[in-house]
Each structure stands twice: as C-alpha cells, then as structure tokens.
Amino acid sequence: MWLIDTRTHELKLFRDPAEIEYSYAILSHTWGDHEISYQDIQNPFQRNSGRFGKIAGACRLAHARRLRYAWVDTCCIDKSSSAELSEAINSMFKWYMQSALCIVYLEDLPSEGSFEQHFPACKWLTRGWTLQELIAPRVVEFYDASWTYRGCKSDLKTFLAGVTRIDEEVLSDSQTMFEVPVARRMSWASMRQTTRVEDKAYCLLGIFDVNMPMLYGEGARAFMRLQEEIVKETGDLSIFAWVDLPPGLSGADPWIRQSYRGVFARSPREFANCHSLRQRIKGVFLNKEFTVTNKGLRIETALVDVPSASQDFVWNLGVSDEVNWSIGDPGGWVGVYLAKTATGYVRSNPYCLFKAGPETIRNRCDSALIHIQKDIRASESEKIEKRFRGAICVDFSQVSCEIVAIMPPQLWDEKRRLFLNMGEGINAYLRLRFYLWDSPGISFPLLVTCSTMFEPGCAIWTEDHPFWDDLLLFTNVAKELTDYVAADYLRGQILSWGGSQLSSTDACKLKHPQFRSMVYIQVAIRPHVAESQPCFKLVLSTEGAFDEMNL
C-alpha cells in the first residue's frame, strides 16, 4: 500500500496496511482530465505544478489533524502493474474502512448557499467509486470548491440517507449493510456511472465483501462475474429481483428489449426500483442454497402457479416492498416470472416483478430441482418466443388416467401440458395408469410414444406386449436429452424389434377383468395450434370401447 507523506509529499510503501491502521487520511473526489499519476508524483517538478492542488489540499488537512500519511487513488496505485491494480481494487474498501479520516473534496460545490441546497447536484454523487468512499470510512468530512469545511457524515446522515437512499444505520456503521438485502445494496449504485464499464462491477466488491480478478476488456461480463461471486457467499434471493430497462430510457444501457432474459442482471441500473426491498418478515432471512453451473443457476425450490397473472410460473424471492405487512397475511412477497424452455428456465416478463396481494389466488407446486439460465442473448430470446412451434400438446381429458412418468422431463412443460420442440423434432414417452370409468378400482399400465421426427406418428403399448420390458428398460436408462432429440430411436430401434411402423393413429385393447368385454384405447397425433404457433396434439380416447365379446 503506497501512502503520501503529508509533509514531504513523497510516496512510502507499507507491506502490511495493519501497521498504519487509522493513521492516514484518504481523499475522495471526482477525477479530471489531468490527474497526478503514480509516475508523476515521483517527479519533484510535477509536485510543484498546479495539477497537484487537490493532493496538496488533502495533505494539508491531514497534517493539520496530525496524520502522517494520506492516500489518493490517482497516484497511490501503480496502474501499469496489473497485479498491483487488482490488489488495490480488491483491498480498497478495507483501506477506506481503516482510515482515520475521509476528506471529500467537492470541486463543483459553491461556497455560497447551503450545503443541502447544492450538494444533491454534485457530480460526486453520480460516480461509482465514491459510493464505498461514503460508506466505508468511520469519519467523512465534506469540503467545497474553496476547501471550506461544510459538514461531516455523522451530523448529516439523515440528509445523506435521503439523497443517496442508503440506510442511516449503514452510514453510521458500514458493517450493518450486510443485513440489507443484496438488491437494495445494488440500488445504491443504480444511478452511478464509471468511466470504464468494468468498474461498474469492480467498485462494488467491498459493498458485497467479495473478491475477483480484474479483467479490463471484458466489458459487461464483469458485472455478471460479480453476481456469480455474490451468490457464492449468500443465499439472498433478492439479487434476482432486478427489472429490465425499457428501451430509450435516458441514460440506460442500450440493450435490445427482450421478452426473455437469464437470471442475472446486466447492469446495476436494473436494480433502480429495489430501494424499498426488505425481508418479507422482519428478522426472517430466506437463505436458500444454490449454485451456479454450466447450465445456469441450480436450485431446489417450489415454484408458484398464479393463473390470473401469467401462463408461466412465479418464483418467490422471499422479500417484500411493503414496510408493515401483517405476518398473518400470505401475500406481500415479491417474485419473478419463470418460463420453461428446452434448456432450462428463463426469466419471462423481465420488465416487471410479481407482487402477491392479499387476495391473490395461487397454487404452490411441489419442490423440484431446476436450472435457470444465466443470460439470454437477443437471438436466443427470439428462438424462445417460437418454442411452441412443433410442440406436442397432451390431451388426455377424454379418458381417466394419470401420468406416472414423462420422458424426456427436460422438455415437459407441466403447466401447459406439452413437450417443447427442440431441433428437427423429438421422441416423447408417457407412462400412464389407465382407469376404467365404471370400475375406478381397476387400472392398467400403458406406455404412449410419439415422434415428430420425419412424419408425426404415435403408438400405444400394453404390458402384455412382448417388448414391454425392453421399452421400460429404455425409458429408465435413456437419461440424456440426446436420446430423445438427436436420433430417432423410436423408429430406428424400438419399433424395428417387431417390424412396426409409426402412423398418426394407433390402438390397443385391454381385457376387462370382470366382464366379457374388451376396452379399446386409441391414441392419435393431430395438427394443432398453441400460443398462435403450429404444433401437434396427442389425444387419448376410448371411443367405441366395451364392445361385447364372446369369450
């Protein structure tokens, strides 16, 4: 850690910052075009130039407080060394926190007029790096353009909280910010800017107590990495409570508005509406276990079906934007919409959040392990919009049966009761238990298969079929999605056992165990339309069943 001697203005290196803890001041300011660099400050001629004014002013104030050293970000980091720059950025919050004094120099704050009148318009409030410079130090003093003292953080904390929307408790003690939901902490930075796009992420490392390597040139990917680091350290689901920005919004990043997004935000700006988020029940923190994999966010959770709100599911994030919601009221929570796709769940309606009201009718689904994709490109979003093209809708409303197993489960949309299409077509299998209308206690196992590869076709199988065991074995061991979409095993392997062919209809018969009759069950695959897209419908019926037989 390089520090400036406040008397000689020379740099001195401290290998262990702990040895000078609370014995140095730091300067918080906005950068101009001609700042003194690490190389410049080692040149005595530069230290006597007009460019040295801010550094000299900070050293003068620090020396008056009997502080031997001062730290200024423009010249106390050798930015030509990537290792030193990375170490400095990852340690910066701690350095601010261990300083004796933070001197905030507001070069655009006039000496005339009240502080409260002019401070909200200062550029200092719009910069990303100054956020941690306000929160971390114990003592923060504000100076105007003429280096006149205008107040300190402890005396101005109520006013500062109103301007910045940072909690007063956090301004009094930076460690209390870890009790604040992640999304609300993100909102503090939502209207701040940085010169380098990567710094939108790097300036927040201390706010979330995480570390990560600096990779200038990665662009917006840095903010994605920041979120991945945050979710390694916390189970706070509020990090997913961001809202997509509408196109054309002044100052917004120029994203193309998408109907579908991944689980992570692309910019702190997308948390701008999260400033009021808090735990749904005070003192109760919903700390979920989840991990980030190559398939996205992996989490076991129970999604919520809200028929009046969306065709998609809602994911309860365990936070609320209500201040005093009754503990006995099942509403009050905030969630996001999730849509099932062939490769996992994605955010649907990403430009709004779901807010549960006291009268909202909703159904809690069974807990299941799901994957939510990390990010979705605009081209991928367009493909997802067409995901029902070629789908197989399942309509078993004409018979009494229950679905025992579905293959492949990755393509099954439970809410819409359909198989999503993928590529040039799919093979799908449904294991059923069929019940007789007049004898509900009697049931039969069935296996219905269908394919949209080449010509659409279907087949139905009973347990007395000679290849029944082989069929069950295949469906039990074929766990990879490629077993159902990359090769037509149904036609090329399974049906070839008996020399069968797929057609648009098939039938089987079941012997009624109590009457001298046979039950005929027919399956058919027909053209259909779902979500205004051409697809197929798989229909099961017993039309013409119970034909009398002379047995």
Side-chain angles (χ1 to χ4, degrees), residues 102-123:
C102 174
I103 300 165
V104 178
Y105 174 62
L106 304 168
E107 62 183 0
D108 54 353
L109 182 69
S111 301
E112 305 80 16
S114 69
F115 179 83
E116 289 78 2
Q117 178 185 359
H118 295 289
F119 177 73
C122 286
K123 183 181 177 182

Side-chain angles (χ1 to χ4, degrees), residues 390-416:
I392 302 173
C393 301
V394 174
D395 181 4
F396 294 164
S397 60
Q398 300 178 47
V399 298
S400 177
C401 71
E402 66 172 321
I403 298 176
V404 177
I406 294 168
M407 291 72 66
Q410 300 97 317
L411 301 184
W412 177 248
D413 187 324
E414 176 65 31
K415 189 169 183 179
R416 293 179 173 85

Side-chain angles (χ1 to χ4, degrees), residues 146-369:
S146 61
W147 289 96
T148 302
Y149 174 76
R150 303 301 296 271
C152 65
K153 180 170 72 168
S154 58
D155 294 336
L156 296 167
K157 64 181 179 181
T158 301
F159 168 71
L160 293 171
V163 173
T164 63
R165 289 184 166 177
I166 300 172
D167 305 52
E168 279 193 50
E169 294 81 3
V170 174
L171 294 175
S172 298
D173 179 2
S174 63
Q175 295 307 292
T176 62
M177 70 180 172
F178 298 111
E179 301 171 12
V180 177
V182 168
R184 196 156 98 231
R185 277 181 271 166
M186 283 287 190
S187 74
W188 300 340
S190 61
M191 304 309 293
R192 293 174 179 259
Q193 296 294 322
T194 57
T195 303
R196 299 288 297 268
V197 65
E198 296 88 352
D199 286 336
K200 291 182 180 180
Y202 301 160
C203 72
L204 297 176
L205 295 180
I207 302 296
F208 298 101
D209 195 22
V210 296
N211 298 101
M212 56 190 255
M214 307 297 103
L215 300 174
Y216 284 103
E218 67 176 327
R221 177 76 180 89
F223 189 67
M224 188 74 67
R225 284 200 299 126
L226 172 66
Q227 294 170 91
E228 291 180 23
E229 291 300 323
I230 292 172
V231 300
K232 291 178 184 178
E233 303 296 331
T234 179
D236 182 359
L237 297 180
S238 76
I239 191 174
F240 309 117
W242 53 269
V243 173
D244 195 2
L245 297 170
L249 181 66
S250 176
D253 295 312
W255 309 117
I256 299 173
R257 195 171 198 186
Q258 300 175 198
S259 299
Y260 299 95
R261 288 275 305 272
V263 73
F264 288 126
R266 290 174 175 166
S267 165
R269 280 187 175 273
E270 296 187 325
F271 292 91
N273 295 322
C274 296
H275 55 83
S276 62
L277 284 186
R278 63 200 71 240
Q279 281 87 9
R280 162 66 179 83
I281 301 172
K282 188 175 182 179
V284 178
F285 180 67
L286 182 59
N287 193 6
K288 292 287 290 185
E289 180 182 2
F290 47 79
T291 57
V292 178
T293 72
N294 62 319
K295 295 179 66 176
L297 187 81
R298 182 178 185 269
I299 183 170
E300 184 170 349
T301 189
L303 300 180
V304 181
D305 181 11
V306 187
S308 62
S310 173
Q311 284 272 34
D312 298 319
F313 290 106
V314 174
W315 183 24
N316 181 356
L317 299 181
V319 290
S320 175
D321 60 358
E322 300 289 339
V323 178
N324 296 310
W325 201 279
S326 170
I327 192 171
D329 195 320
W333 52 269
V334 169
V336 296
Y337 299 97
L338 295 182
K340 178 71 180 287
T341 75
T343 52
Y345 284 89
V346 296
R347 278 271 312 256
S348 59
N349 299 328
Y351 31 82
C352 65
L353 298 174
F354 172 81
K355 299 180 182 180
E359 306 299 327
T360 303
I361 297 175
R362 53 193 176 274
N363 304 305
R364 189 176 185 272
C365 303
D366 293 334
S367 183
L369 184 66

